[in-house]
Every structure is written in C-alpha cells, then in structure tokens.
C-alpha cells in the first residue's frame, strides 16, 4: 500500500548519554549538594537561631537539611501555582525539555492567550470503549487553534536555579521559531524571527505578532529562546498549536441536523404542537457519524504521505467527538463555550494524525468520526424563571465538521466534511441520552448505550435506514441511522437582533423593518471562530469523605466542599431496588419508568442539607429559582410551581439537579451488567457538596466527584496565620471555581449567567486567582455582541430582560452592570497588556459613553432622581451596592459608573494614541466627578453623603476615597468622619429563629462576645461596621482597600478577621465551603455558592500579604510590594501570597520574628519583621515598607546573589501544608440542628478550611555567602520613598518594630472615636492632597 503517513512512529526518543557521563555528573552532584546541605544548616544556626551550636550537632543535621532544601516532593493538591504538570511547557512533543545554560528560562508559552493542555488534572479514567476501538490516542486534551490573520505569541520567564542573580536581572534578546508538527518529529522550520534585541527601557514586549499568514489546516509547534544579561541562551520546550478555518471559504463542511429535529422548527410540519411538545419530539438526542476510507486519504502522488491531520468541529448545544471509537478530549459539558450562538460559535481542533497510523502499523480500511450531542445553552428545556433561557437563540442539535489533511508536498485536502451531496457518508441516529439540560440534569438509557456499543467504529458501521417520515415517536428512531439534512432557517441575523431589540425597548417601533412571514424558525447560526478560551474540563477528582445510609435504599455522599461537576461511578451505579409500595423518596421518583416496569437509579445533587429533614436542600440549588419553598414553605407557598410550563414531571415542584440512569423492562435480564457500565453524565453540570443516590441495597463503589470548570491556569495563592481570613479566601476561591463554566456566572445552579455587576466587583479577585487573559477577553466580546445599535450595553452578556427597569432605558442595563465591558477592558490591559484588544473594543466603549451622555440625565429623572437630590432619601432604582446590610445609595453607583465609563474611554484612547478621544473621555469623567462631589459635600457635614442623607448608606466615603472622587483637600476630614459610622442589629428571620432554638448558656456566651445585643425587648444579632462586614458587592473592596492604603490596615484586618453575623466566620460556623450570596443565612432563597461578595479575596494578597499590580502598570510589568502589618500580633503573625502574571510569578511573604513565648505580650513586644519577595526575570518590583511608628525602627534590604531552588521549596511547603489540612487545623466548630429536639447546638469539630500555612519563601535557606550585603533603607522609608528593584530574590529585615494594642472603639456595633476626634490628624497617609487626583494611567482606582 502507498504510504499515507511519513515515518513509522508517532514520536522519537532522545539519545541517551553514555554511562561515563552519568558517573562524572553524579559524583560532582553528590559533592556539591553535600557541601550545600552542610552550609544550609550553618546558615540556619547563624541567622535564625539565638544560640550557638557545636560543629558536631550542625553536621548531624545535614541529612535533615538536605531533605528540607532539596527534597523532590511531588506537588500536593494544595499547590495551585505550579501547573506545568497540567499544561504543556515542560516537555515538547518530541520529548525535548527546556534547554540551554542561560540564567533565564522562557516558560508558559501561549498563543492568543491559549495554552496547550496535555491532560486535564481531574480527568477520569478512560470510558469503556468497544473492543473494535482504536489503540491510538491524541497527545493533548486541548489544542489551541488560531486563524492565519491573528497569531500572537506570549511567554513568561523564570530564573534558573543556581544561576547568578545578576545574570537573571535583564533579558538582552529573544528569538521565536515555528516549525511544522509532523508525526516523525522532523517538521521543517517555517518562521524564524531571528535574534531580536530588547531595549532595556522597554523590556521584552508583552506579545509578538506573527507577521505572516500560515496555511489553514497546519499543525505547528513553536518555541522561544532568550538571552540573559551575560548573553547566555536558554530555550523553552516546543508548544503545539493549529491553524484553523477563518473564512466561509475555508469551511467546506456545513451544519447538519436530524431531519425530524429540523421538522420541529418548520411550522408546516410541526403538527400544531406547542414549544414544550416540540422540544420533547427532539428527544432522545442525536448521534452523528461519518466514515472515511483509507483511499480518500491518499494524495494524488504515490509518494506524498500525510504529515498531519487536523479535525475541526463544533456542535450545538454541546458536543463530544470521537475518532475510531476513542474520545478526543475529556471536555464536554459546555463545549462550545456559552456565547450568543446567533452571533458567534466556537469550534475545536483535534490532532488526529496518530489514528491514521493504525494499530501496530497496520492501516485500517476506514476510519469513523463520531459526535455525541447534548442540549447545552442551545436547545434546553423551555422553562423560565429568574433567568429567561427562552430569549436565547434556539435550534435543533446540529454539527459541523471537516478533516484537514496536510501532505509532505505541502498540498492540503479536506475530507469527512458535513453537508454536501457527492460522496457524503454522514449519518444520524437517536442515541442513549434521553434528555440533557444544564438546569435539570441528564437521563441516560443504559440499554441503548449497550446496544449501540461501537457505533463510532468501522466495525459498528451500517448502511442507512429508511426514515419513517411520519416521525410520530422519536423513540422509534433510536439506533436507526439515516441521512441528515442541512440545518436551515429563514430567520436572518438582522431579524433576530430586531426582535430582541424591540423586546428590550432598545429600538423604537418606528424603526422596525418588515420581514416576510417565516415558516422555518430556527435561530440563525453566527460566525465560526476558534475557541477563545480553554474548554470546561474536570480539574480535580474528589473521593467521598463520608457515606450515610438514609434508609429505604437512599445513600448520601458527602464530598467535603461544594463545586460544579458531577459524579463519576468508577465501577458503575449499583443495581437498583424498588422501594416498598413504589414510594420513592421525594424527588427520586420516575413515574413513567415505574408505570412501564423499568428500573432506574437517580442521583440528586445539592450544596447543603435541609435543616428539618436531613435531605439535600434542593431549594437552594433549584434551577431558575423554580421551587415551592421546600418542606418549610417559608419563601414560597406549597404548590408554587405546580403547573409551571414544561416543568419536569418527576421533580416534585422543585426544579432539581438530577441525573437518571434507566434500563427498560425489556432489558432487565442484563440489567446488572448494564448498570455496572454507567459512568457519568456528560452534558450538564451540578453544583454540589452532597449527592443522594437512590435506590439500591448498597452504596455506589468508588463514586468520585469530578470538579468541572473552564481550564484556565490557577496562579494566585494566599496564606496567613489567621483561620478566619484564610477561610474567607477559601470560600471565595471555591465559589469562583464553581462559577467558571465558560462564563463567570453568578451562581452555578440557579441562573448560571454572567452579570456585569458581579464581574465589576469580583474580577480583581478572579484575576488574582486565575489567568483570566483569554477568559475576560471572551467575556468582553460577549458584551460587544450583545450591545444594541444605539450603544447601550446590557446587564448580562446575553440579554435576558433582567432588572432592565433599573437602567436608564432603551435597552441599557443598570449603569454599574452595563459598564462592566469598559472596566474589564482596562483591567485586562493592566494585567495582560493587550494593546490590540484596546483598539478593537474602543469604538464600542465610545458608543456606550455617547449613549450615557445622551440618555443618562433623562433616564435618571424618569427613575425618580431629582437633579439636586433634594427629594432623595436613599434607595432608588436598581441594585446598587447589592445585598449590603445598610441602605443602598443607587444614585451614587449609577453616577459613579457613568464617570468610570468616561475614565475608561480616556484610559484606552491614551494607550492607543487617540488624543481627541482621550480628552473627550476625561472631560466627561471630570464633569461627572465634580457633579458627585458637589452634591455629596453640599450638606456641609463632610461625610460624603447626599444632601438629606444620614451617613448610613453604602457606598459612601469608601467609594469616594478609593476612586479619587473626593477633592484632595477634603479627603482627611471625610476619612475621619467615616469612623463615626456604626453598626446595627439585624432583624433577619433565620437569625431570629436560630436564637429561639439555642440554649440559654449559648445565648449568654454570645452576649458576652458582643454578638447579641438588645433589639427592643429581645436579643438580636447585629452587624458591625468595623469588626465585620456590612458593605455590598462593591463597598467591600472600597472599604478594605481604602483602610489599608490610608493607614488603617489594622481596622481592615479586624473587619476581615471578624466573627459573628456579617463575616466569613459566620458562614463557616454554618458549614459553608463556598461564599454565600448574602451575609445572612438563607435556607430557601439566597444562593450558598456565589462569589458576588468575594472582593475581599483580592484585598488579602494585595494588602494583607502585600503584592499587587502597580496602579499604572500594563501587562504586569511592575508589581507593588507593600506589606502592611497589624498593630497586634494577636490578629496576624504572618501572611504570604503568590501572583502569577504573563511575565512570571511574583511572590511575597512576611512574618513577625522574635515573638515572645507569652502571647499576652503580643500587644506590647518589640519584634523583628522579615519580608521576602521574588521578582521574575523581565519584571520589576516597587518595594514600599510600611511607615514606621517608632524612631528606633530600622530596615535593611539584601538580595540573594544566587537563585535558590524555589521549585522544590514550594513543593515541600505545599506538602507540609497538605499535611496540616489533613490534620484539620482550620476552623474549629460548627452549629448543627438537632431535628428531634428542634434545637441548635455547637459542635466542636475542626475542619481543614482556614488551615494556616507558612510560605515556601521561608523554606528557602540560601547560604550566608549567597546574599549581598545589607543595604540600609531606613532613611528612604522615613522620607516615603519607593525602591525600584529588578528580578531577584529579596530579604527585608525590619528591626525594633513595636507591637501595640488595637484601638477599642465603642464595641462591636459601635464606632471609633479615637479616629474621628478633633485632635486626630487623620493618620500617616493623610498629608499630601495634591497626590490624590486620579491619574489617567491608573487602572486600579479607575472605579
């Protein structure tokens, strides 16, 4: 047979070194490391120990020192920064790793912000496959795909261990090489940038564009080389990507659908059924496949083998692809990512070259591509509630595919394309998924799954069947392969936009165009683009902590924390039993199956347990908020959802997260075997900590939870000595992980929608924790698609008619929510430095600003705000600082974000060199800033409040101070008057019920701590202004950052570390593992997995630890190291953070040293403070120590002259931290409800959440000789000077630091007279009023 593939093997091995080489290297290594280990111990004793040890004792410590300093411990689950084991970059496609001898190593290669993912870290074991499935496998889980016209390379740097710091201090030059990725590993170079000198003042560019346009269909590899300060070179590993179709011409495939599904969108064939009836006619969901013969793969030339084969594909709603029976990726729940599919649809690329080689070198006669489809956001169950999915574009399940072959000669060919007529072999059949829905779950027919085994292999191929044109029963179309039809509709994109604009009142009726009457009504499908973000993948597997027998065959599995995903049954689901009298526990029934005698297993998911029953609380995770209030019916009456349109029959009035595995009666003789083959649902995600499996005699064996989220890199961490602060950070992070499902959603069960306000509030925290470069670029593009022609931005990235009343009309969302796109664009620039993105988005942001200029004043007046605010008493139209415990000032939030829109436009225009637009934006921003300032200083009280306000609303002073709205000369008095504010008691229903059901002893203890105070004649919980949180989603960040930045970091720490109602501690005492939507406890309304209030998690690394983006930096070129310490060590003894960036990883850690043994002296002792931080090559640091409070305090700085082994230090520290977490050294107790006694009681039971861990930076012990001399920085600190530092590892020692008592104030609910009394000067940072004006390059304080 002529050669199809070049070469005989899919990979080649590196040549081994000779034994003599290894012997020499090993001997040298042993000598060096032994000397190094002894020196470490010497350094430890001389620099960290008070006493002097004898030499013998030091030498005897060598072994332990060697283990500590150089032990190669594997990364534990605590590690969230070093993801080289997940993402490619350490090893190339041909086995090559980073190479060279330079001090700077290029790492983390991305193309268009996308990184190759070799294997998702939580990927389950391979699914059961047919014996006829291929033995070949793809080499990656996610292959970045780009289009020819826009290819941008980016990379970060790290310093080589053992190199000289001065060598790593500068990058002299770089070079990029691109080659073809071929099966024989010998791809030819197609681009060499040659050596590019780096201008010292400019640094390495944030990105490098590929100036040429490669051929569509090519699979390529690239690497980068860099030269260090001594001109020594290092090279990255090769990283793979592909070039996909860009234009309509590039796409030879066409969208196809099941003919019966397509008929349901044809009014002439729909039979008069309503929307729900038609939706049911499209179930079970279809499978698609095609066969490609080996002859089709041959080139026209006999000796012209294939060098690569790229399969490009997408499907709506969601798809999973296979080749010769082998799944091509572990992704699938939401693939393609959620967008407005009538505007743009993402496709994936898969390198299927290995399959063409065949098993054992024997070429198969044919290959089969298989596609399994789910409903996704495209054809979901037509129910509506708090969100309105019916407003989304909808059509039948559809797929588009083609395989792009590249030959050795450079020729290309497309095979296996969907659509067309000549030689097309595509088939479609209904399959095993009876139903899939993102809100209600998935139903799998295990009998069909077994019967259709091998359907996507050549062995399972069969000829087309004849279609039953009557199409009365879709279940008769299972396993009947017929020819698909082209996806078609008469509805145009313009028509759909007009329909939505009229509904949103973004278009006048007089502007309406006339369109013909339509018979085919499926939504138009938008432009095909390569996936902009990594897919949603399993990023973690979790074993159940506990399994409880609830009786009656029902099993409760507890996974210890909440997340998004589903169960994976490693050994299948258990064989079902039938409960007595067929009485299934509530929510677990399946009426139709019971009536037919079918057997089934149900899985119900939830985040918490219902307090009065012990069952899963389905109400709190009810899809679209559709429920009946649960067993207590507090928030809603019994039967509230009964009769709701298209409500599932078996959800018992609560739209539940539920998967079902069913075996029909006819197949029950083989039922046990069939149930044992069940593994997981695929096209849904559930938010859960708990799962109920019902009904079986035994619990499922080895049922792991799969944690799904968009597979962006995790690159931010925070740790400290304070359990409450750590716990708050973990709550936010777990909630954020749960809500990254191709969009950043509000909650992962109820609406699953991206709200602009949530993004404004939480994006700083998300950008600390994750690499959001691609994700937020896609997010902004979603909003640009949704922008109305009049310039208005919507509240959510796909219009859902939510809270439009709160906007200023004409389709605009509430101003805060609708200003998310420009705010995100600015923050994206600060973090990732993408100038091209600024240029692309600026026209849309200008349109939004012009819309505000035209409509804001009119809209505000129509919403009831008078021009001078003389009638305004707070509240108003909109959400404002949503879910604050105080009253909300919505006028301020509306107007301040109008100002922010102007600032954003000015900022972006300045960066892209549009001076006239810059001036226009600044003029608008300054005008609105002055309007706010004039109105909020009008009452003469200097409390920054509206004229008739009582200094009780939020946001107020904190927003005006953080965003630089206040005139400089007023900032000190406003800051002082802010401390006059106090807290109040809270009348919440659940809190009062709790107090009625606790013991007198517990109530007395809470009175003593200040948690309870009198409200009338009864005790009530209360929220604190200065010892807890009361702010809403925006005010939290403003308050904490303002306090820390303006000299009152001790108060910010006290708020974050607070206890009782209105704190993270309150959530944890009620068993929270994710942040709640509200500060108060809700059993039946507000979500318990909602990062909306999570801005506190950005303050922790930036202020409590002390590393953040410098306000005016772009692309994370410059980071601010500004550690601030508590007055008393009782609050915090140490803190640390790491911050990943596109430049590399920055880290900081500080700790008090020489603390007295007697903790009663933590308020008065004189101690030493050690601060350590790392700046990566190519980055810059600004060191800003805190202002000294004693004339005896001094500070010195030194730099390591040799780069220490931070990689192993981090691994060891992570291992130690994981051991501490397993020992449950975190939060110590919880409140539990005794359902028999109907009483709450306090259970002392420690948890892992909040466990204190020290930084790896203190695990690194360089030799004394490896530091340069101490540089005195005392005078610079006293003069308020920042110190600019280049790449390196630094150590600051602050001597004679006095600890002090914290200010008391007037109690937990009181204010702080010490800070607002007339003789108080406003603190150390309240001096220079001229430095307080917002600067146009300042992205941090833009709003």
């Amino acid at each position: 047979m002529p050669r199809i593939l070049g070469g005989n093997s899919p990979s080649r091995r590196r040549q081994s070194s000779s034994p003599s080489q290894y012997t020499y290297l090993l001997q040298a290594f042993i000598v060096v490391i032994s000397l190094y280990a002894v020196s470490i111990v010497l350094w430890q004793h001389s620099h960290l120990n008070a006493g002097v040890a004898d030499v013998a004792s030091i030498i005897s410590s060598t072994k332990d020192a060697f283990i500590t300093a150089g032990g190669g411990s594997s990364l534990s689950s605590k590690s969230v920064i070093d993801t080289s084991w997940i993402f490619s970059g350490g090893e190339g496609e041909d086995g090559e790793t980073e190479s060279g001898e330079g001090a700077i190593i290029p790492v983390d290669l991305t193309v268009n912000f996308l990184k190759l993912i070799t294997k998702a870290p939580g990927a389950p074991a391979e699914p059961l496959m047919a014996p006829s499935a291929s033995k070949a496998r793809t080499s990656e889980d996610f292959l970045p795909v780009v289009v020819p016209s826009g290819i941008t390379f980016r990379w970060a740097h790290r310093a080589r261990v053992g190199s000289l710091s001065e060598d790593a201090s500068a990058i002299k030059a770089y070079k990029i090489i691109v080659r073809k990725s071929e099966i024989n590993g010998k791809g030819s170079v197609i681009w060499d940038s040659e050596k590019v000198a780096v201008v010292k003042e400019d640094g390495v560019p944030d990105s490098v564009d590929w100036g040429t346009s490669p051929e569509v269909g090519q699979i390529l590899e690239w690497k980068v080389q860099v030269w260090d300060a001594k001109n020594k070179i290092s090279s990255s590993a090769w990283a793979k990507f592909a070039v996909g179709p860009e234009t309509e011409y590039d796409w030879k495939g066409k969208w196809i659908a099941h003919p019966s599904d397509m008929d349901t969108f044809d009014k002439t064939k729909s039979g008069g059924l309503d929307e729900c009836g038609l939706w049911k006619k499209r179930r079970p969901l279809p499978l698609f496949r095609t066969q490609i013969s080996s002859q089709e793969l041959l080139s026209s030339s006999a000796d012209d083998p294939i060098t690569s084969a790229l399969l490009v594909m997408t499907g709506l709603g969601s798809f999973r692809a296979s080749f010769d029976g082998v799944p091509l990726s572990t992704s699938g729940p939401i693939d393609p990512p959620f967008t407005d599919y009538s505007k743009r649809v993402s496709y994936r690329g898969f390198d299927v070259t290995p399959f063409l080689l065949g098993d054992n070198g024997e070429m198969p006669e044919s290959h089969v591509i298989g596609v399994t489809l789910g409903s996704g956001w495209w054809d979901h169950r037509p129910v509506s509630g708090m969100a309105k999915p019916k407003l989304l574009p909808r059509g039948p399940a559809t797929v588009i595919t083609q395989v792009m072959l590249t030959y050795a000669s450079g020729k290309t060919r497309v095979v296996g394309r969907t659509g067309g007529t000549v030689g097309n072999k595509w088939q479609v059949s209904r399959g095993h998924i009876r139903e899939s829905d993102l809100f209600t779950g998935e139903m799998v027919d295990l009998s069909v799954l077994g019967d259709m085994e091998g359907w996507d292999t050549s062995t399972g191929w069969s000829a087309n069947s004849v279609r039953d044109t009557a199409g009365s029963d879709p279940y008769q179309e299972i396993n009947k392969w017929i020819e698909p039809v082209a996806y078609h509709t008469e509805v145009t994109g313009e028509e759909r936009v007009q329909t939505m604009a009229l509904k949103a009142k973004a278009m006048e009726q007089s502007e309406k165009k006339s369109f013909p009457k339509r018979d085919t009504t499926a939504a138009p499908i938008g432009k095909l683009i390569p996936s902009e973000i990594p897919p949603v993948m399993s990023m973690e597997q979790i074993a159940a902590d506990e399994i409880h027998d609830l009786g009656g065959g029902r099993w409760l599995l507890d996974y210890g924390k909440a997340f998004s995903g589903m169960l994976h049954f490693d050994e299948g689901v258990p064989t079902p039993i039938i409960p007595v009298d067929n009485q299934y526990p509530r929510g677990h029934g399946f009426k139709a199956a019971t009536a037919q005698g079918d057997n089934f297993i149900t899985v119900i998911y939830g985040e918490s347990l219902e307090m009065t029953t012990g069952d899963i609380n389905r109400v709190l995770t009810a899809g679209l908020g559709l429920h009946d209030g649960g067993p207590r019916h507090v928030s809603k009456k019994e039967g509230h959802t009964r009769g709701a349109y298209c409500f599932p029959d078996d959800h018992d009035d609560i739209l539940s997260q539920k998967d079902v595995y069913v075996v029909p009666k006819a197949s029950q003789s083989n039922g046990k075997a069939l149930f044992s083959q069940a593994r997981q649902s695929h096209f849904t995600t559930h938010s859960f900590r708990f799962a109920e499996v019902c009904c079986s005699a035994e619990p499922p064996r080895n049922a792991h939870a799969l944690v799904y989220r968009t597979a962006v890199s995790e690159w931010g961490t925070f740790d400290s000595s304070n359990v409450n602060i750590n716990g708050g950070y973990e709550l936010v992070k777990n909630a954020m992980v749960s809500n990254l499902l191709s969009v950043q959603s509000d909650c992962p069960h109820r609406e699953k929608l991206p709200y602009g306000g949530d993004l404004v509030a939480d994006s700083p925290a998300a950008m600390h924790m994750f690499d959001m470069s691609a994700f937020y670029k896609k997010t902004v593009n979603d909003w640009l698609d949704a922008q109305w022609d009049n310039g208005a931005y919507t509240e959510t990235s796909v219009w859902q008619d939510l809270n439009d009343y709160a906007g200023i009309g004409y389709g605009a969302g509430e101003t805060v929510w609708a200003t998310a796109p420009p705010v995100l664009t600015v923050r994206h620039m600060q973090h990732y430095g993408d100038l091209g993105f600024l240029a692309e988005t600026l026209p849309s942001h200008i349109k939004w600003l012009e819309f505000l200029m035209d409509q804001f004043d009119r809209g505000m007046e129509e919403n009831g705000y008078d021009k001078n605010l003389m009638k305004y008493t707070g509240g108003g139209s909109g959400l404002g600082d949503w879910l604050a415990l105080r009253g909300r000032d919505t006028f301020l939030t509306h107007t301040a974000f109008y100002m922010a829109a102007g600032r954003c436009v000015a900022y972006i225009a300045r960066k892209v060199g549009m001076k006239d637009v810059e001036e226009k934006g600044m003029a608008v921003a300054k005008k609105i800033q002055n309007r706010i300032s004039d109105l909020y200083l009008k009452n003469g009280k200097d409390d920054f409040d509206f004229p008739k306000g009582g200094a009780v609303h939020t946001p107020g002073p904190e927003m005006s101070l953080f965003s630089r709205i206040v005139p400089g000369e007023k900032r000190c008095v406003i800051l002082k008057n802010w401390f006059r504010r106090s807290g109040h008691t809270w009348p919440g229903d659940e809190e009062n019920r709790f107090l009625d059901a606790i013991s007198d002893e517990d109530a007395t203890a809470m009175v003593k701590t200040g948690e309870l105070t009198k409200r009338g004649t009864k005790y009530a919980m209360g929220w604190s202004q200065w010892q807890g949180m009361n702010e809403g989603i925006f005010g939290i960040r403003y308050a904490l950052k303002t306090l820390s930045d303006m000299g009152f970091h001790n108060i910010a720490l006290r708020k974050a570390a607070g206890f009782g109602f209105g704190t993270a501690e309150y959530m944890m005492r009620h068993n929270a593992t994710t942040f709640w939507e509200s500060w108060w406890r809700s059993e039946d309304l507000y979500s318990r997995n909602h990062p909306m209030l999570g801005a506190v998690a950005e303050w922790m690394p930036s202020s409590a630890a002390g590393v953040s983006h410098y306000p005016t930096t772009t692309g994370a070129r410059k980071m601010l190291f500004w550690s601030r310490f508590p007055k008393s060590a009782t609050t915090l003894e140490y803190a640390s953070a790491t911050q990943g960036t596109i430049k590399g990883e920055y880290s900081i850690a500080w700790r008090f040293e020489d603390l007295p043994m007697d903790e009663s002296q933590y308020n008065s002792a004189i101690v030493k403070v050690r601060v350590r931080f790392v700046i990566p090559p190519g980055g810059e640091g600004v060191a800003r120590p805190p202002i000294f409070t004693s004339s005896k305090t001094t500070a010195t700085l030194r730099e390591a002259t040799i780069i220490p082994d931070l990689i192993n230090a981090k691994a060891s520290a992570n291992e130690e931290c994981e051991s501490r977490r397993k020992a449950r050294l975190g939060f110590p107790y919880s409140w539990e409800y005794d359902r028999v006694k109907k009483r709450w009681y306090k259970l002392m039971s420690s948890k892992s959440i909040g466990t204190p861990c020290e930084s790896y930076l203190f695990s690194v012990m360089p030799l004394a000789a490896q530091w340069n001399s101490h540089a005195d920085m005392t005078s610079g600190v006293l003069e308020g000077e920042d110190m600019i530092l280049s790449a390196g590892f630094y150590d600051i020692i602050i001597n004679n630091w006095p600890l002090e008592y914290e200010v008391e104030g007037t109690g937990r609910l009181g204010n702080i007279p010490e800070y607002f009394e007339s003789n108080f000067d406003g603190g150390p940072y309240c001096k220079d009023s001229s430095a307080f004006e917002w600067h146009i390059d300042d992205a941090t304080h833009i709003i």
Side-chain angles (χ1 to χ4, degrees), residues 945-1168:
D945 202 0
F946 50 88
K948 293 191 175 181
V952 295
H953 289 80
T954 180
E958 63 272 46
M959 182 186 203
S960 68
L961 291 166
F962 179 82
S963 300
R964 311 299 195 253
I965 299 173
V966 175
E969 65 273 13
K970 285 287 188 180
R971 68 166 171 162
C972 293
V973 65
I974 287 172
L975 179 63
K976 288 175 60 175
N977 284 332
W978 184 24
F979 290 108
R980 296 180 183 274
R981 292 196 172 201
S982 57
H984 207 283
T985 53
W986 176 252
D989 292 341
E990 293 295 351
E991 280 68 36
N992 286 337
R993 292 190 186 98
F994 173 87
L995 295 179
D996 289 340
I998 62 173
S999 67
D1000 291 342
E1001 181 182 0
D1002 286 332
T1004 300
M1006 294 173 74
V1007 170
K1008 288 181 179 179
T1009 62
E1011 290 184 63
L1012 300 186
T1013 53
K1014 279 288 182 71
R1015 184 181 178 95
T1017 59
K1018 295 185 65 176
Y1019 279 105
M1021 292 185 186
W1023 51 267
S1024 174
Q1025 170 66 38
W1026 305 114
Q1027 298 183 35
M1029 304 294 186
N1030 65 89
E1031 297 83 4
I1033 63 175
F1034 310 115
I1036 297 169
R1037 182 168 186 249
Y1038 299 144
L1040 293 175
K1041 298 284 281 187
T1042 297
L1043 287 168
S1044 291
D1045 291 353
M1046 295 189 176
F1048 300 93
H1049 182 61
N1050 59 312
I1051 304 300
L1053 282 169
R1054 192 160 67 176
K1055 284 173 72 67
F1059 65 91
F1061 179 76
T1063 65
E1065 188 271 352
Y1066 183 74
M1067 299 179 191
M1068 288 187 287
R1069 67 168 64 170
H1070 286 287
N1071 289 306
T1073 60
T1074 48
F1075 223 80
W1076 294 352
E1077 184 179 14
S1078 60
W1079 293 117
W1080 54 91
R1081 200 179 100 253
S1082 174
E1083 296 288 341
D1084 56 5
L1085 184 59
Y1086 291 101
S1087 169
R1088 290 192 179 178
N1089 192 343
H1090 204 298
M1092 180 180 69
L1093 291 166
V1096 62
E1098 185 268 339
W1099 166 85
M1100 293 173 184
S1102 66
S1103 299
V1107 60
S1108 63
H1109 289 72
Y1110 197 78
T1112 58
T1113 194
T1114 59
R1117 289 173 173 271
K1118 183 187 290 187
M1119 299 293 283
L1120 177 63
F1121 293 96
W1122 186 10
S1123 291
R1124 282 145 287 187
F1125 315 127
K1127 286 181 177 293
S1128 167
T1130 58
T1131 307
L1132 206 60
E1133 296 178 38
Y1134 58 81
S1136 64
T1138 55
Q1139 182 58 69
T1141 73
I1142 63 169
K1143 297 299 180 190
E1145 183 180 289
Y1146 296 80
S1147 297
I1148 190 170
W1150 67 263
R1151 67 183 181 189
F1152 289 134
E1153 296 182 351
D1154 301 335
L1155 280 168
M1157 296 293 292
D1158 183 357
E1159 293 188 10
S1160 67
Q1161 298 177 33
Y1162 276 23
N1163 300 311
S1164 58
I1166 305 298
V1167 299
K1168 178 168 67 177

Side-chain angles (χ1 to χ4, degrees), residues 784-1075:
L784 302 192
D785 277 351
Q787 187 175 30
W788 304 116
D789 289 344
N790 63 9
Y793 279 133
T794 54
E795 179 176 10
T796 52
S797 66
V798 178
W799 181 68
Q800 284 284 282
D801 192 19
L802 297 167
N803 301 320
D804 278 16
Y805 75 91
I808 55 175
Y810 298 108
E814 183 175 351
T815 313
V816 186
W817 272 249
T819 305
V823 170
L824 278 180
T825 303
V826 169
R827 290 175 179 170
H828 193 279
M829 183 64 190
Q830 184 186 33
H831 285 248
Y832 313 119
D834 190 347
L835 270 173
F837 186 49
L838 297 188
E840 292 166 13
T841 58
L842 181 56
S844 296
H845 301 329
I846 291 172
K847 285 179 64 178
W848 168 237
L849 180 59
E850 289 174 340
F851 174 85
L852 289 171
M853 293 166 65
D854 291 340
Q855 304 295 341
F856 186 83
D857 291 345
R858 173 209 52 78
M860 292 293 283
E861 187 176 347
E862 290 180 1
N863 282 339
Y865 302 95
D866 59 298
K867 186 175 181 180
N868 296 315
L869 295 187
M870 297 311 295
K871 299 178 182 179
Y872 182 59
T873 57
S877 177
L879 305 180
D881 199 15
W882 182 232
L883 292 186
L885 298 171
R886 297 181 165 277
R888 289 170 282 118
D889 182 354
T890 59
F891 177 87
L892 181 57
T893 48
H894 272 295
T895 312
F897 275 83
Y898 177 9
M899 175 197 72
R903 286 181 173 182
C904 289
V905 166
Y907 175 99
I908 296 168
R910 178 180 175 88
K911 294 291 184 283
V912 299
M914 297 180 64
K915 185 66 175 177
D916 56 335
V917 177
E918 174 192 334
E919 292 174 350
K920 175 181 176 182
M922 278 299 290
V924 173
K926 190 62 179 175
K927 172 185 173 183
I928 304 305
Q929 176 185 339
N930 291 340
R931 178 189 298 181
I932 296 170
S933 183
D934 290 346
L935 287 170
Y936 279 68
L937 295 174
K938 188 175 182 178
N939 62 18
K941 299 178 183 178
D942 289 335
D943 54 7
F944 203 83
D945 202 0
F946 50 88
K948 293 191 175 181
V952 295
H953 289 80
T954 180
E958 63 272 46
M959 182 186 203
S960 68
L961 291 166
F962 179 82
S963 300
R964 311 299 195 253
I965 299 173
V966 175
E969 65 273 13
K970 285 287 188 180
R971 68 166 171 162
C972 293
V973 65
I974 287 172
L975 179 63
K976 288 175 60 175
N977 284 332
W978 184 24
F979 290 108
R980 296 180 183 274
R981 292 196 172 201
S982 57
H984 207 283
T985 53
W986 176 252
D989 292 341
E990 293 295 351
E991 280 68 36
N992 286 337
R993 292 190 186 98
F994 173 87
L995 295 179
D996 289 340
I998 62 173
S999 67
D1000 291 342
E1001 181 182 0
D1002 286 332
T1004 300
M1006 294 173 74
V1007 170
K1008 288 181 179 179
T1009 62
E1011 290 184 63
L1012 300 186
T1013 53
K1014 279 288 182 71
R1015 184 181 178 95
T1017 59
K1018 295 185 65 176
Y1019 279 105
M1021 292 185 186
W1023 51 267
S1024 174
Q1025 170 66 38
W1026 305 114
Q1027 298 183 35
M1029 304 294 186
N1030 65 89
E1031 297 83 4
I1033 63 175
F1034 310 115
I1036 297 169
R1037 182 168 186 249
Y1038 299 144
L1040 293 175
K1041 298 284 281 187
T1042 297
L1043 287 168
S1044 291
D1045 291 353
M1046 295 189 176
F1048 300 93
H1049 182 61
N1050 59 312
I1051 304 300
L1053 282 169
R1054 192 160 67 176
K1055 284 173 72 67
F1059 65 91
F1061 179 76
T1063 65
E1065 188 271 352
Y1066 183 74
M1067 299 179 191
M1068 288 187 287
R1069 67 168 64 170
H1070 286 287
N1071 289 306
T1073 60
T1074 48
F1075 223 80

Side-chain angles (χ1 to χ4, degrees), residues 1170-1172 1196-1199 1267 1270 1289-1293:
R1170 186 183 297 273
V1171 184
R1172 285 185 168 177
T1196 60
L1197 178 142
R1198 59 181 179 169
E1199 180 184 4
W1267 292 106
H1270 289 265
F1289 179 40
Y1290 295 90
D1291 187 65
I1292 293 177
I1293 298 175

